[in-house]
Amino acid sequence: MIGRNRVQAITEAITLQYANGKSLARPVGSKRFSPYIGFHIEAGRDDELDARFRAARIEQIEIKHQRQGGAEIVRHWALGETIRFYVVTSGPVAQTVAGSLGRNATATAAAGIGMRWGSNDRSRMAVRGYLDLLVRMDLLRLAQLSVRSRMTDVLLAALLDHGRVCEAADALIDRTRHPELVTFHELALPLGPGDEEEWGKGETTTVVPFKSLHPVQIDRDYIERIWRPDAVHQAALRDWPGIQAWAGEYALQADERSPKERSDMVEPVGR
């Protein structure tokens, strides 16, 4: 029997960004820019999100983006240096970016991870999930964290470490209440600044990539502290088919973004 397909709707996601110290930012009302490290979301793009952040008194900052022909100053909501992210994926299929592509590209997309080689052989990677900050505001909307170049190694490393913690949780949870494997979205992934690194060839640049902030030793108390709310689990089950469809499309996209869109993405030096 041939059957009949059902058209898969792909939900737009909130764009979550990370500045690794290369971007210049300032508090609104200040005159001086300085290197900025932290997570942020552009203001003025989403009325509902803006209203929630204003009500929660989230700070706004102005980031100077380098454009062709000059600089543009754009307001963003500053989320701080650390976040907790319920990432919706079944996990990496390989230990490296190169290993995740090629013959494993289909499996990577099926795992809900967007990944591809972009222009100038630069890798691109993105994941979707729920920000704990928004979950606590009862706003269960997908956020997308996108990176490129060497930051893809950074994001992949964070996911691999999160998988380690999920495996540890398998032996710590109450199996009578949760007989299945602990999946990635069921635990909050804490992300925050790592150590300073020098990136680039020849003339290098000092950057501060993010990293997984999970501790080395995992115990039951820690798992309970980062365990997802029931609403996150229900939202993940609802959104999972759409995330897989999005990841499949992401893998096939060409780099046809505008100069503004390209400069807004995390862009460390070289791969």
Side-chain angles (χ1 to χ4, degrees):
M1 183 175 178
I2 295 175
R4 186 176 66 200
N5 285 330
R6 183 176 181 181
V7 176
Q8 186 64 253
I10 298 180
T11 304
E12 289 297 318
I14 298 164
T15 300
L16 172 65
Q17 301 175 71
Y18 175 76
N20 59 16
K22 289 185 64 182
S23 298
L24 297 178
R26 66 187 181 189
V28 175
S30 174
K31 294 183 178 180
R32 181 173 297 178
F33 287 95
S34 59
Y36 177 65
I37 297 169
F39 293 91
H40 53 283
I41 294 173
E42 186 172 339
R45 290 288 189 93
D46 187 303
D47 291 342
E48 181 184 31
L49 192 68
D50 288 344
R52 294 296 186 97
F53 280 166
R54 276 194 295 269
R57 298 188 177 182
I58 302 298
E59 179 187 5
Q60 280 195 358
I61 56 172
E62 295 178 327
I63 297 180
K64 181 184 290 187
H65 294 287
Q66 296 301 323
R67 313 294 192 202
Q68 290 183 349
E72 180 183 4
I73 298 172
V74 182
R75 286 197 179 191
H76 293 74
W77 298 103
L79 307 186
E81 291 190 351
T82 62
I83 60 169
R84 298 210 312 176
F85 194 44
Y86 297 98
V87 59
V88 185
T89 172
S90 55
V93 300
Q95 295 282 331
T96 64
V97 171
S100 302
L101 294 168
R103 64 183 182 182
N104 283 327
T106 300
T108 295
I113 298 172
M115 192 181 294
R116 67 175 183 269
W117 291 113
S119 59
N120 300 321
D121 289 328
R122 288 180 174 177
S123 54
R124 292 182 180 271
M125 181 178 176
V127 291
R128 290 186 165 191
Y130 311 101
L131 275 168
D132 182 64
L133 174 64
L134 297 180
V135 171
R136 287 185 277 113
M137 295 179 183
D138 293 322
L139 192 61
L140 280 161
R141 290 177 51 190
L142 287 171
Q144 178 173 320
L145 177 60
S146 302
V147 296
R148 61 178 174 173
S149 298
R150 287 186 63 174
M151 285 296 291
T152 57
D153 296 321
V154 170
L155 180 53
L156 182 60
L159 292 181
L160 289 168
D161 190 58
H162 194 53
R164 169 187 69 89
V165 178
C166 291
E167 290 178 1
D170 286 335
L172 296 170
I173 62 172
D174 184 348
R175 279 300 177 193
T176 62
R177 300 176 58 186
H178 194 291
E180 302 85 8
L181 293 176
V182 175
T183 51
F184 275 54
H185 73 273
E186 295 192 281
L187 302 176
L189 168 59
L191 296 174
D195 296 329
E196 284 189 351
E197 299 181 16
E198 297 297 320
W199 284 7
K201 298 178 180 179
E203 184 178 349
T204 62
T205 299
T206 302
V207 299
V208 181
F210 62 73
K211 68 175 184 177
S212 164
L213 298 180
H214 284 310
V216 175
Q217 299 296 326
I218 306 299
D219 57 26
R220 184 167 182 170
D221 179 65
Y222 179 70
I223 294 300
E224 290 177 350
R225 293 202 306 271
I226 63 172
W227 189 259
R228 48 79 179 168
D230 289 342
V232 166
H233 184 56
Q234 295 304 317
L237 296 179
R238 176 198 68 202
D239 292 335
W240 175 236
I243 290 173
Q244 288 181 300
W246 157 79
E249 288 193 2
Y250 186 96
L252 300 175
Q253 289 172 0
D255 288 336
E256 297 176 348
R257 295 175 176 80
S258 67
K260 176 183 185 301
E261 290 173 318
R262 288 195 296 270
S263 64
D264 282 350
M265 294 184 66
V266 174
E267 175 58 15
V269 179
R271 167 176 275 287

